[in-house]
C-alpha cells in the first residue's frame, strides 16, 4: 500500500475502483470542510466554465449552420477547447495516473 505499481504491472480493477472511490470521498470531505470563501470561489469557477462552454458551443453551432461543418479534426479540437476546465481538470487528471497500492 502507498507504493506505485511496477512498470508494466496491471492493477486489479477492484483495487482501482476502491482507490477511485476513496479519492472521491476525500475530495467531498475537503469540499465540505472548506470555508465560505473557498466554496464561493469554487461555485463561481464552476459557473464560469459552464457559461464559457455554453457560449463557445453556441458560437460553434451557429458558425456550422452558416458556413457548413468543418473537418472533423478541427471540430474535435474546438469541442475539446470548449470542454476545457482549466486547473480543476488538470488536478483531477494528475490523480488518475497509475494507481497506487
Amino acid at each position: 500500500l502507498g507504493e506505485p505499481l511496477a512498470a508494466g504491472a496491471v492493477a486489479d480493477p477492484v483495487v482501482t475502483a476502491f482507490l477511485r472511490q476513496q479519492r472521491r470521498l476525500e475530495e467531498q470531505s475537503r469540499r465540505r470542510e472548506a470555508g465560505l470563501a473557498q466554496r464561493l470561489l469554487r461555485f463561481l469557477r464552476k459557473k464560469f466554465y459552464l457559461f464559457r462552454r455554453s457560449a463557445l458551443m453556441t458560437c460553434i453551432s451557429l458558425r456550422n449552420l452558416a458556413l457548413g461543418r468543418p473537418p472533423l479534426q478541427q471540430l474535435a479540437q474546438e469541442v475539446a477547447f470548449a470542454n476545457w476546465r482549466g486547473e480543476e481538470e488538470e488536478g483531477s487528471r494528475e490523480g488518475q495516473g497509475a494507481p497506487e497500492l
Side-chain angles (χ1 to χ4, degrees):
L1 289 174
E3 296 179 10
L5 284 176
V10 179
D12 185 16
V14 175
V15 173
T16 305
F18 174 75
L19 291 173
R20 194 174 328 132
Q21 180 183 12
Q22 287 301 111
R23 272 189 243 118
R24 190 174 28 239
L25 289 173
E26 289 172 2
E27 179 64 27
Q28 285 176 352
S29 66
R30 260 188 264 129
R31 276 192 238 138
R32 272 189 235 116
E33 295 168 359
L36 181 63
Q38 289 175 334
R39 284 181 167 182
L40 179 64
L41 185 61
R42 183 173 186 278
F43 173 79
L44 292 175
R45 186 180 303 124
K46 282 180 70 170
K47 293 303 175 188
F48 169 77
Y49 284 113
L50 176 74
F51 289 130
R52 174 188 176 273
R53 181 181 187 280
S54 299
L56 289 172
M57 294 298 265
T58 300
C59 290
I60 291 169
S61 298
L62 291 174
R63 188 212 50 213
N64 291 350
L65 286 173
L67 304 175
R69 199 174 87 193
L72 288 178
Q73 178 75 14
Q74 178 185 348
L75 193 58
Q77 288 175 344
E78 292 170 349
V79 170
F81 178 74
N83 289 335
W84 182 70
R85 291 184 151 231
E87 299 166 1
E88 182 177 309
E89 187 173 276
E90 291 169 0
S92 67
R93 282 187 184 170
E94 289 173 7
Q96 292 177 359
E100 297 178 2
L101 295 176

